[in-house]
């Protein structure tokens, strides 16, 4: 219900971001470490890696909304790809932007459904719990932060979600 309310606020312009200099790496690592034990209890290994031990560059972002993005995507990876028993999160920096990939090793998304998964209420053939609003909300937040959201999936091999967020130029 909260996601639906936020999405409707976003659509009619009542949704505001609390934009500030944000340490993207810290926000991402916080979400990963928060979910790691929860997933372990479900038999899913949550792995995290980055190209550098520490990134000093900030982004212009909303920490609460970013946390919402990461939690939604990690939850989706466990819900839809958890049968693969592993989720891998990776952070890198390429050409002036941070790139985050979240990969599950589950059944994947049928190719015919992939173009629709970011539409609100779309659930496709998935029988997993949920409203079908999570990816639509994530896409809207990423757009509001001048970021990108891309999904690629291979049946039987899993799904890779890629987020791109520009490094803040002072």
């Amino acid at each position: 219900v909260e996601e639906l309310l936020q999405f409707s606020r976003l659509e009619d312009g009542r949704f505001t971001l609390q934009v500030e200099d944000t340490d993207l790496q810290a926000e991402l690592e916080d979400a990963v470490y928060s979910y790691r034990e929860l997933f372990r209890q479900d038999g899913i290994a949550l792995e995290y890696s980055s190209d550098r031990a520490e990134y000093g560059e900030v982004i212009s972002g909303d920490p609460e909304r970013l946390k919402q993005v990461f939690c939604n995507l990690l939850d989706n990876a466990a819900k839809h790809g958890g049968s693969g028993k592993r989720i891998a999160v990776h952070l890198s920096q390429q050409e002036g932007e941070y790139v985050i990939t979240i990969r599950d090793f589950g059944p994947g998304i049928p190719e015919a459904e992939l173009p629709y998964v970011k539409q609100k209420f779309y659930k496709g053939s998935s029988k997993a719990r949920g409203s079908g609003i999570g990816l639509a909300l994530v896409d809207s937040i990423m757009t509001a932060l001048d970021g990108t959201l891309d999904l690629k999936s291979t049946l039987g091999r899993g799904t890779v979600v890629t987020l791109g967020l520009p490094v803040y130029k002072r």
Side-chain angles (χ1 to χ4, degrees):
V1 172
E2 182 62 30
E3 281 185 341
L4 185 56
L5 288 171
Q6 288 177 359
F7 193 82
S8 69
R9 282 188 215 111
L10 196 104
E11 282 190 319
D12 68 14
R14 293 180 294 133
F15 184 88
T16 56
L17 295 173
Q18 303 300 317
V19 177
E20 59 188 64
D21 286 359
T22 303
D23 182 339
L24 181 67
Q25 185 175 19
E27 296 299 330
L28 177 61
E29 289 177 357
D30 186 49
V32 167
Y33 297 133
S34 295
Y35 272 78
R36 184 172 274 154
E37 179 59 24
L38 181 68
F39 287 175
R40 189 190 64 73
Q41 292 172 8
D42 290 333
I44 302 168
L46 178 55
E47 303 163 355
Y48 170 75
S49 62
S50 69
D51 286 351
R52 278 196 254 162
E54 189 171 328
Y55 287 95
E57 301 85 358
V58 297
I59 66 162
S60 184
D62 180 330
E64 285 304 310
R65 296 293 167 229
L66 285 168
K67 191 175 299 179
Q68 188 174 12
V69 164
F70 302 146
C71 291
N72 250 318
L73 294 175
L74 289 169
D75 187 52
N76 274 358
K79 226 177 357 187
H80 301 288
S83 62
K85 299 299 179 200
R86 182 163 68 108
I87 297 168
V89 178
H90 184 76
L91 173 66
S92 64
Q93 202 178 85
Q94 303 166 16
E95 300 172 15
E97 76 173 358
Y98 282 106
V99 177
I100 298 165
T101 57
I102 299 173
R103 178 176 184 201
D104 71 58
F105 297 83
I109 301 168
E111 190 174 335
E113 294 181 12
L114 210 47
Y116 307 104
V117 295
K118 292 193 259 181
Q119 294 178 1
K120 68 178 174 179
F121 304 122
Y122 185 81
K123 290 184 56 143
S125 57
S126 174
K127 303 289 185 247
R129 64 177 166 73
S131 63
I133 196 101
L135 277 179
L137 185 59
V138 165
D139 191 42
S140 294
I141 292 170
M142 291 302 294
T143 299
L145 293 172
D146 294 325
T148 58
L149 168 66
D150 183 57
L151 290 100
K152 290 190 177 15
S153 192
T154 304
L155 280 180
R157 300 187 73 197
T159 301
V160 178
V161 177
T162 305
L163 302 172
L165 285 158
V167 172
Y168 179 64
K169 304 282 189 246
R170 292 190 188 277

